Amino acid sequence: MRRITLLGSTGSIGDSTLDVIGRHPERFSVYALAAHRNWRKLAEQCERFRPQLAVVGSPDAAEALRAHLRAAGLPTEVSWGPAALDEVAAADGCDTVVAAIVGAAGLSSALAAARAGKRILLANKEALVMSGALFIATVQRSGAVLLPLDSEHNAIFQCLPEGRADGRGVERLILTASGGPFRTRALETLADVTPDEACAHPNWSMGRKISVDSATMMNKGLEVIEAHWLFGLPRERIDVLLHPQSVIHSMVSYSDGSVLAQLGNPDMRTPIAHALAYPDRVGAGVAPLDLAAVAQLNFERADLARFPCLRLAFEALSAGGSASTVLNAANEVAVQAFLEGRLRFTAIAEVVESTMARARIVELAGLDDVLASDHEARRLANEALAAGALQAG
């Protein structure tokens, strides 16, 4: 039986992961759950899955959760803060860590799991975007096993022999993207996009930050960077193809002319179930794909003029060093400002581009370098926001 630590249990990936785990109590048990603010939902999860440990983001949330669990008669131990998160990710009681904390906040705990040699199911793409070389080197040194949870990377993993691209005749990786809610919207109207419109993804149910990233295609750009580190191919051999139906989740092109694709309904429980049970297969609760009902599959090349964030991600990958760290930090600042109504939609890319132009691009020797670069980029992005020229309205 696999003993699972789930970091980010109250988000959409956490919900889907617990749904799959709950379908197979004979195969999976929950060792620890971690969330940031939503202690009430975490308490409900603890009552159902009875983990040994629970971690929250603040002492107030910890005290409230502890009191609730005590009243419910549950022995779950409660701790709080980043150090506790790192400790639970590396704890001896679990063999598998699902890293599903969104953004830079999930980097340290994912690295802790890697150092401890865990089986890591990675949904936090920022761990590789911010510190790809460092993260992969840590995995290799410790003997950790890295399995991707993003639907696109999981699809590529399934299309590769033993999940590896090296020496396998692989020509190209082809990441598919729905194009989000604004694939065909008139360009001159994009400045008026509201947060609710940006979060209304046509195919996937996701959190608000990742939904905005999907609308700008920054999410796909981050996935290109992630694919480079996961599978070891250069930027020139990683393509993005728009596929509005979100049925083909990604493809691998081989030197003999073959193209292998992984297909399925757009439901994150499929890649989660694959990674949880790998190399076995288990039911995910997802309806079988009915290709006759889908009827047709369409593809388009990505328009970098419509999606400048995708262009910026390609540029960051080509630049190397801390460029991807800067890209990610500036984007987090800009998306938060947009969601709070302080920045227009089209200015998200402008903030990121301005920050990338001003930030120092350096080599990253360790976590301290990553965090310093992230800090500088956030300062520069906030300076761009404070200038006022990019604000909403």
Side-chain angles (χ1 to χ4, degrees), residues 44-94:
E44 294 173 1
Q45 294 173 340
C46 289
E47 289 178 22
R48 178 181 177 190
F49 291 95
R50 297 181 173 268
Q52 186 170 325
L53 302 172
V55 181
V56 288
S58 70
D60 289 345
E63 184 54 39
L65 177 62
R66 193 176 291 116
H68 181 97
L69 296 180
R70 199 160 44 232
L74 294 181
T76 301
E77 297 178 20
V78 178
S79 56
W80 67 275
L85 203 60
D86 290 356
E87 288 175 11
V88 78
D92 292 337
C94 74

Side-chain angles (χ1 to χ4, degrees), residues 214-254:
S214 180
T216 65
M217 288 276 283
M218 178 61 86
N219 190 52
K220 200 57 50 180
L222 299 179
E223 288 173 3
V224 168
I225 298 169
E226 188 179 7
H228 162 73
W229 292 112
L230 282 170
F231 305 113
L233 265 62
R235 178 260 175 272
E236 295 75 20
R237 292 168 61 190
I238 305 174
D239 293 335
V240 172
L241 198 61
L242 298 190
H243 169 50
Q245 291 84 8
S246 295
V247 168
I248 293 178
H249 299 299
S250 277
M251 297 174 271
V252 176
S253 176
Y254 286 88

Side-chain angles (χ1 to χ4, degrees), residues 132-154:
L134 173 65
F135 195 90
I136 294 300
T138 303
V139 166
Q140 292 171 344
R141 278 197 307 270
S142 70
V145 175
L146 187 59
L147 298 170
L149 280 195
D150 272 350
S151 60
E152 295 81 1
H153 303 99
N154 184 268

